Amino acid sequence: VEAVAARHRARRLGLHLVLLLATAGCGPLASVEFVHGVASGDPTADSVILWTRATPVDEGTRTPRQPRAVHWLVATDPQLHNTVAQGEYTPDASRDYTVKVDVTGLQPGTTYYYRFDETEIAGNHSPIGRTRTLPRADAQRLRLAVVACTAHAAGYFNSYAHIAQRADLDAVVHLGDYIYEYGHTRFDIPFGRTPQPLHDAVSLDDYRQRYAQYRSDPDLQQAHRQHPFIAMWDDHEFADNFWNGGARNHRSRDGSFAARRLVAGRAYAEWMPIRESRTTRGIPSLYRSLSFGTLLDLVLLDARIEDRDEASPETRDDPSTSPIGETQERWLMNELSDSQARGTRWRFMMSQIIFGQIEVPDFPMHVVLWEGYPRVRTRILDHLVDEDIGDVVVVSSDLHAAAAIELARDPFSPDYDPESGEGVIAAELVANSMTAPHAQDFVDADGPAVVAATHPHFKYLDTENRGYLLIDVDAERVQGEWYASETIRRRRVEHHLDRAFRIRAGDPRLEPVEAASAPRAEGPPLAP
Ligand SMILES: [Fe+2]
């Protein structure tokens, strides 16, 4: 055993010498710390992405050294006795010392536990994480938490803490605005959660610092540690109101817009547990679909970054002005048709921005939401009707409000009957913002009151609370439950159920329900 250990040490030493030569001028390898927690994401039936950051102990000094290699392991038990996969990863400065591993060969619908260790120092390891692969054929029931608009400076991440306590979730879906690029002047900051850096994030180093700050939050760390994330970016991971040629929050003094797009996308790829399968003009292409066996297909749209045309009142009737572009639209139509043809029970179309019709005088919905691209929206709804694609639920966010909407071709016309539900094609569940405040101009324009009085297809609209959406899925129905944080002004995990709606298979109407769905009794233990 001694000889084998010595040989291993020698081999490791050899590897490190090679690394030393590769990083000429540096001293011996640096020890590492795991101060940004662990994360996992983009599960499939047999693989999952694991993430951590191996921070070199001398980071920030004048001559930081190359960090030591990190060992990772995956086990079936929280004590990590029954190891099923392991390996090594050498972090470096080019990816900001982040570690990303795509673990393959796993079993479907199974909970796993994992950890990262420094190879040289016994006991120097990350917290234990917990993750779960997607089911293959036999899923009876699924539970997903949906979060969005998680602005660190705007309040405490109590919803992340609440989600971290749930042992029976299959995954957390983050619909974007994971970080906000805003500097300290953009938020009313009564909690000392001052953005780092202080100014708007513009450079690669700015965005990296901002992710590092968010990942230092204990509640966000816990949510990542306990559940795999399925993440889609929105505009604030780049700049407010982004489109493919600019952004509202990109001014000439911010330099090149193309360069900012590249560095923001790169920092996201480094820090988020996403699988980097394809790229578009230098950054990950994130629209994708995930299959939860025969129960659910999750189709994630990127209506913000990939190929979004600028919207304006003048382009509203132009059928070629799109938030998703031609290629992604073709892909979406095929995904929906294929899912129906496979006989999958439910199709969730995930969109960062609200899909349903919303018109408030004096509030420019058309520059932000699908409201700015009504021709594309109608094409998608027509596709569902023409191809007889049923059991579709749109899940969206970014209104900084909670809402439940019945989707009809024109909900303001007699073709839609809010009483009988005639004309309803699909339902939409809008996840609340976790902390970001709702748009003041929306409220100043009496938006909530206007919507309540004039939008019969809105069955629910809540602009008061902050929180998250839980979706419980089985073969008979989809149930959406909006959980509201008691406060975001201090750390406090308590939430209450604000509202719940059900959509029955074969019937797209929204039906209010009183009680929350029962937790799954057999939820695998949380990571210790
Ligand atoms: Fe947002």
Side-chain angles (χ1 to χ4, degrees):
V1 174
E2 275 293 287
V4 171
R7 238 186 354 259
H8 273 207
R9 272 198 299 276
R11 203 179 304 148
R12 263 195 223 129
L13 192 64
L15 178 70
H16 289 171
L17 283 173
V18 170
L19 285 171
L20 269 177
L21 291 173
T23 53
C26 299
L29 299 173
S31 187
V32 300
E33 296 174 312
F34 301 96
V35 292
H36 296 101
V38 296
S40 71
D42 271 345
T44 69
D46 62 3
S47 69
V48 70
I49 300 286
L50 302 183
W51 182 98
T52 192
R53 183 172 192 261
T55 306
V57 288
D58 58 0
E59 185 183 37
T61 62
R62 212 146 42 88
T63 50
R65 292 166 296 165
Q66 164 70 25
R68 291 202 181 114
V70 167
H71 180 253
W72 56 267
L73 68 89
V74 178
T76 53
D77 60 309
Q79 287 72 41
L80 308 178
H81 290 146
N82 184 24
T83 306
V84 294
Q86 55 186 312
E88 249 179 43
Y89 188 100
T90 305
D92 64 44
S94 73
R95 281 186 69 96
D96 201 16
Y97 306 112
T98 57
V99 175
K100 191 181 276 193
V101 181
D102 194 349
V103 182
T104 56
L106 302 175
Q107 296 301 310
T110 305
T111 293
Y112 291 97
Y113 302 83
Y114 62 94
R115 192 174 76 184
F116 297 89
D117 295 76
E118 179 177 332
T119 48
E120 298 296 313
I121 302 178
N124 183 20
H125 53 71
S126 73
I128 296 174
R130 174 181 177 270
T131 192
R132 187 170 173 81
T133 50
L134 301 188
R136 195 153 263 151
D138 56 347
Q140 306 296 314
R141 188 177 171 202
L142 296 166
R143 277 163 80 77
L144 302 169
V146 183
V147 299
C149 302
T150 45
H152 184 274
Y156 285 92
F157 288 157
N158 293 325
S159 292
Y160 276 138
H162 200 245
I163 286 167
Q165 290 182 352
R166 291 186 180 273
D168 64 351
L169 298 180
D170 289 276
V172 174
V173 181
H174 200 302
L175 280 182
D177 289 353
Y178 181 93
I179 61 159
Y180 279 69
E181 88 283 15
Y182 289 151
H184 74 292
T185 56
R186 308 301 189 96
F187 286 105
D188 171 28
I189 305 165
F191 325 108
R193 286 165 76 86
T194 309
Q196 293 166 9
L198 266 181
H199 52 268
D200 282 13
V202 176
S203 70
L204 178 59
D205 189 53
D206 292 343
Y207 283 105
R208 283 171 167 175
Q209 275 190 57
R210 193 59 58 78
Y211 282 101
Q213 177 185 29
Y214 275 59
R215 282 295 174 77
S216 301
D217 182 276
D219 298 316
L220 176 51
Q221 285 194 1
Q222 288 305 318
H224 273 302
R225 193 166 83 81
Q226 298 294 355
H227 305 294
F229 272 47
I230 298 165
M232 174 56 74
W233 49 35
D234 198 15
D235 55 336
H236 286 290
E237 287 88 345
F238 291 75
D240 180 42
N241 217 345
F242 185 102
W243 55 282
N244 57 21
R248 180 163 57 196
N249 190 29
H250 187 84
R251 297 138 304 178
S252 52
R253 68 178 151 95
D254 296 326
S256 152
F257 174 73
R260 191 179 187 186
R261 174 185 166 278
L262 276 176
V263 297
R266 179 171 161 189
Y268 186 91
E270 289 170 356
W271 281 82
M272 296 298 288
I274 53 156
R275 183 172 285 108
E276 295 162 53
S277 319
R278 323 180 303 272
T279 55
T280 297
R281 291 178 291 126
I283 64 171
S285 180
L286 283 194
Y287 69 86
R288 60 202 189 277
S289 59
L290 290 87
S291 160
F292 292 75
T294 52
L295 191 54
L296 169 68
D297 284 327
L298 203 70
V299 181
L300 279 127
L301 287 181
D302 182 356
R304 278 288 199 188
I305 305 302
E306 176 88 16
D307 201 6
R308 179 187 174 102
D309 294 321
E310 187 177 26
S312 73
E314 293 73 48
T315 58
R316 277 196 88 221
D317 291 322
D318 177 353
S320 69
T321 303
S322 172
I324 56 175
E326 262 177 63
T327 310
Q328 190 178 175
E329 183 176 331
R330 228 179 359 257
W331 169 85
L332 168 67
M333 302 301 203
N334 284 335
E335 288 295 313
L336 293 169
S337 296
D338 289 353
S339 172
Q340 176 80 21
R342 275 197 301 274
T344 304
R345 172 60 67 134
W346 297 98
R347 280 144 291 284
F348 284 4
M349 187 177 110
M350 319 294 287
S351 163
Q352 302 105 324
I353 49 173
I354 291 203
F355 192 76
Q357 294 86 348
I358 177 165
E359 291 174 8
V360 177
D362 309 321
F363 185 67
M365 296 291 182
H366 56 265
V367 300
V368 190
L369 312 177
W370 277 90
E371 200 52 49
Y373 312 88
R375 300 292 202 100
V376 188
R377 176 171 59 200
T378 302
R379 281 205 293 273
I380 295 169
L381 289 173
D382 285 351
H383 180 75
L384 299 182
V385 174
D386 296 346
E387 304 281 312
D388 209 8
I389 301 169
D391 301 316
V392 173
V393 179
V394 176
V395 182
S396 65
S397 61
D398 208 35
L399 189 63
H400 297 189
I405 310 169
E406 287 184 339
L407 296 173
R409 209 170 182 279
D410 180 1
F412 304 108
S413 81
D415 295 342
Y416 167 66
D417 182 348
E419 298 307 320
S420 69
E422 197 187 314
V424 180
I425 298 168
E428 178 168 8
L429 311 176
V430 183
N432 208 337
S433 89
M434 188 178 293
T435 56
H438 48 65
Q440 203 51 55
D441 42 356
F442 176 64
V443 175
D444 289 347
D446 286 329
V450 171
V451 171
T454 59
H455 290 54
H457 54 302
F458 270 69
K459 301 298 172 185
Y460 169 51
L461 176 66
D462 167 34
T463 56
E464 298 298 315
N465 291 298
R466 294 288 158 270
Y468 70 97
L469 171 66
L470 182 95
I471 308 183
D472 189 288
V473 187
D474 64 25
E476 268 75 61
R477 59 91 181 102
V478 165
Q479 184 158 318
E481 301 171 4
W482 285 266
Y483 286 87
S485 205
E486 296 296 336
T487 179
I488 57 167
R489 303 182 68 84
R490 59 199 167 90
R491 271 186 93 192
R492 194 180 146 85
V493 72
E494 283 77 10
H495 280 60
H496 66 270
L497 177 67
D498 189 62
R499 202 70 74 84
F501 284 90
R502 170 165 63 197
I503 303 129
R504 292 178 192 273
D507 179 355
R509 293 174 300 174
L510 285 165
E511 181 187 338
V513 283
E514 290 301 317
S517 54
R520 252 198 312 227
E522 76 285 14
L526 291 168

